[in-house]
Amino acid sequence: MNYSVNKIIQVLNAKKYKVFAGSALNLNIVGIRSDITRAGSFDDELVIFYETTPGQHVELRMPFTADPGVPYLKTPINPAGTAIVKPGQYRGAYKLGDYKGRPALLQVKPITVYRTNKQDGCLDTHNLREETGLFGCHIHIGSTSGSLEHVGKCSAGCQVPQDPWAHNLFMILCDMSAGKYGPYFTYTLLHQRDFEEHR
């Protein structure tokens, strides 16, 4: 996908979402879900950026998954169905912490998810029931030993970067930001089609 930061900001503004600007390390954390409807690949993009001077940005990009892995789509661990995070902006919903002993952003405020029991490995969210609450849909590392080829069981609805080294850089930025602004972060999930709608 590789949309420019300016294009991402254009879409965020069109949706009337908050864009954090005017101060170094005031992080914008934006996931972009791809149009691909088959689960299992790191085919989404996570973009972290902040403004240094007006109109100038530092950015970090990485492949990630905004979707649960195939095992959890085929065998949901929740009777209501597997969670797929709904695109939207979740203000202050994540807090810097640890997940299984590794730095992560933990969901601490309600977000909205789709619930699916389709069990076919498909990410089609049309006509799915929505639910808002605390579900443990964290942003965390998938592997400590290297980049993962497939999502597998590393996500049951969490947002997971493919490469642990990129994730570690992300967490360093979060730690530096938390020292200035506190440990709470806003996560925004967009969809690839948003960029077609706001050309």
Side-chain angles (χ1 to χ4, degrees):
M1 290 178 278
N2 200 34
Y3 298 108
S4 70
V5 167
N6 286 338
K7 183 62 178 179
I8 293 170
I9 291 173
Q10 178 186 340
V11 173
L12 294 174
N13 285 333
K15 288 181 167 291
K16 303 189 184 305
Y17 290 160
K18 173 69 175 179
V19 178
F20 298 96
S23 186
L25 293 172
N26 200 2
L27 301 184
N28 295 274
I29 302 170
V30 181
I32 304 172
R33 176 176 282 144
S34 77
D35 284 334
I36 298 171
T37 58
R38 296 301 303 179
S41 298
F42 291 92
D43 48 25
D44 308 313
E45 185 175 39
L46 186 63
V47 184
I48 301 95
F49 64 92
Y50 62 88
E51 190 173 67
T52 52
T53 58
Q56 300 297 315
H57 299 90
V58 171
E59 61 184 84
L60 173 65
R61 297 171 178 267
M62 65 195 74
F64 88 123
T65 181
D67 311 308
V70 173
Y72 294 114
L73 287 169
K74 291 188 173 181
T75 309
I77 57 177
N78 187 316
T82 298
I84 301 175
V85 176
K86 181 181 179 181
Q89 184 169 74
Y90 301 105
R91 295 286 300 273
Y94 287 81
K95 183 179 181 181
L96 186 62
D98 290 332
Y99 177 78
K100 296 184 178 180
R102 300 285 179 172
L105 293 183
L106 307 179
Q107 186 205 350
V108 293
K109 291 183 180 178
I111 67 171
T112 301
V113 302
Y114 301 108
R115 289 289 183 185
T116 179
N117 275 305
K118 289 185 177 181
Q119 302 182 355
D120 60 359
C122 180
L123 296 170
D124 181 13
T125 56
H126 290 93
N127 300 317
L128 292 182
R129 183 173 65 86
E130 295 181 13
E131 184 179 5
T132 299
L134 292 167
F135 310 117
C137 290
H138 309 311
I139 304 173
H140 66 79
I141 200 167
S143 166
T144 59
S145 58
S147 293
L148 295 168
E149 185 175 353
H150 303 290
V151 176
K153 290 189 174 182
C154 74
S155 172
C158 293
Q159 315 290 279
V160 180
Q162 182 178 24
D163 187 290
W165 307 113
H167 175 82
N168 289 341
L169 288 174
F170 174 28
M171 290 297 102
I172 289 170
L173 283 177
C174 288
D175 189 58
M176 295 168 64
S177 178
K180 295 187 68 171
Y181 307 106
Y184 294 91
F185 294 87
T186 292
Y187 175 55
T188 305
L189 180 60
L190 301 176
H191 196 284
Q192 189 174 352
R193 62 174 168 263
D194 293 328
F195 293 83
E196 300 300 318
E197 294 170 358
H198 299 97
R199 289 185 176 181

